[in-house]
């Protein structure tokens, strides 16, 4: 739980760094971010003795799905969606991820969704939506918001089939290099081969922070959390991100949180407390206790 919370805190605290990239070439900048994160992950994995396996067979498709939806398309959808919708609309779409993971995650893991976790996910989703606030959008913006929701969920759900063999380190490494390669090709075609030279020093510093904290660190922590808790319960922790983002905005000189933000924070906390409490000594969620044979 601590690993997942820290990962979402890194994501929520990335708002200020992401804002610095408003004028940077999007595709090229993100390609550099993921390439730097991949290099760092490989170095740290080797230093820590973590094995990195080469994908085989269908694993290529799952990892390409993680990179294509959770990294490449997600960033494109955020930018295109922002052209038709206010940021709060896209934020509310991301806030719906806990409910989607609570429903679909256990199914992909071979278990039934737990009613308690589903109820907790509904509370976290409602609380996160209140923290994000409401916004205006047209039909195109709402469509992109749905794409953002699907991509954010796909980042976790598509990793489940390969997480056991490759582990958090392997999934993070393969997802980042695949995304870096795809974004580099798109950037060269759409932004020009010299787009990297247009990145200002301030933007490069923001990219460095995103590569280290929000990608390399947060990815490993998040996938480690999913491997231990399962996608359903881990998904509840995504509600931490908007709360941290709101707190970071206030700390950076923004207005004090409104009453609805406090109410949303309380709902997120209540949902986390209800959904993450232990299910019983020695019992994992969704598994039946074994009966002892009679003597």
């Amino acid at each position: 739980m601590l690993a997942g919370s820290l990962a979402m805190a890194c994501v929520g605290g990335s708002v200020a760094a992401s804002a610095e990239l408003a004028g940077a070439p999007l595709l090229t900048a993100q390609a550099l971010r993921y390439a730097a994160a991949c290099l760092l992950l490989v170095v740290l994995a080797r230093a820590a003795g973590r094995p990195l396996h080469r994908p085989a067979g269908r694993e290529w498709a799952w990892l390409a799905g993680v990179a294509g939806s959770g990294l490449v398309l997600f960033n494109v959808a955020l930018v295109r969606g922002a052209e038709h919708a206010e940021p709060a609309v896209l934020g509310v779409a991301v806030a719906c991820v806990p409910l989607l993971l609570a429903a679909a995650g256990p199914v992909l893991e071979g278990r039934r969704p737990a009613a308690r976790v589903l109820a907790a996910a509904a509370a976290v989703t409602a609380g996160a939506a209140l923290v994000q606030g409401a916004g205006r959008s047209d039909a195109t913006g709402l469509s992109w918001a749905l794409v953002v929701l699907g991509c954010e969920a796909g980042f976790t759900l598509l990793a489940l089939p390969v997480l056991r063999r490759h582990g958090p380190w392997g999934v993070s490494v393969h997802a980042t290099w695949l995304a870096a390669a795809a974004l580099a090709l798109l950037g060269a075609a759409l932004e020009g081969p010299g787009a990297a030279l247009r990145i200002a020093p301030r933007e490069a510093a923001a990219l460095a922070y995103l590569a280290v904290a929000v990608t390399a660190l947060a990815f490993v922590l998040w996938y480690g959390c999913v491997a231990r808790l399962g996608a359903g319960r881990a998904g509840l922790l995504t509600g931490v991100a908007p709360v941290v983002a709101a707190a970071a905005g206030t700390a950076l000189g923004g207005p004090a949180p409104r009453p609805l933000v406090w109410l949303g924070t309380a709902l997120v906390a209540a949902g986390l407390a209800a959904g993450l409490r232990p299910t019983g000594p020695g019992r994992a969620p969704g598994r039946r206790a074994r009966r002892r044979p009679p003597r």
Side-chain angles (χ1 to χ4, degrees):
M1 288 187 288
L2 180 61
S5 299
L6 183 57
M8 289 299 109
C10 290
V11 173
S14 67
V15 175
S18 298
E20 294 293 335
L21 301 177
L26 170 70
L27 300 173
T28 302
Q30 295 297 334
L32 292 173
R33 164 193 173 181
Y34 292 127
C38 180
L39 180 60
L40 178 60
L41 284 167
V42 170
V43 172
L44 292 177
R46 296 301 186 190
R50 302 287 183 175
L52 297 176
H53 304 293
R54 181 177 180 179
R58 295 181 180 178
E59 293 178 345
W60 284 107
W62 291 111
L63 291 168
V66 173
S69 65
L71 305 184
V72 178
L73 184 56
F74 177 78
N75 284 288
V76 173
L78 282 180
V79 174
R80 296 292 176 245
E83 296 173 353
H84 299 269
E86 294 182 352
V89 176
L90 302 176
V92 170
V94 175
C96 295
V97 169
L99 195 54
L100 189 54
L101 293 184
V107 174
L108 292 176
E109 294 166 338
R111 297 184 286 107
R112 290 183 179 180
R116 177 167 62 87
V117 177
L118 285 172
V124 171
T125 295
L130 287 176
V131 172
Q132 292 285 348
R136 293 173 295 178
S137 174
D138 57 19
T140 303
L142 291 177
S143 299
W144 279 116
L146 290 176
V147 174
V148 168
L149 170 60
C151 290
E152 183 69 8
F155 177 74
T156 298
L157 296 176
L158 294 176
L160 294 178
V162 293
L163 191 54
R164 176 173 296 182
R165 178 172 180 261
H166 290 274
W169 289 90
V171 173
S172 299
V173 166
H174 292 304
T176 49
W177 80 255
L178 285 169
L183 286 165
L185 292 174
L186 290 173
L190 300 177
E191 297 169 345
L197 300 177
R198 302 199 301 268
I199 297 177
R202 191 179 185 89
E203 294 168 343
L207 282 174
Y209 171 77
L210 292 173
V212 175
V214 187
T215 307
L217 176 62
F219 281 21
V220 173
L221 290 174
W222 177 248
Y223 284 131
C225 173
V226 171
R228 295 291 297 273
L229 293 182
R233 298 179 75 206
L236 299 175
L237 294 169
T238 59
V240 172
V243 174
V244 172
T250 302
L252 292 173
R258 296 165 298 161
L260 284 180
V261 174
W262 289 111
L263 176 60
T265 302
L267 275 175
V268 170
L272 291 176
L276 294 176
R277 74 173 187 266
T279 55
R283 293 185 62 184
R287 295 182 182 177
R288 296 181 179 178
R290 295 181 180 179
R291 294 181 180 180
R292 293 184 179 179
R295 293 183 179 178

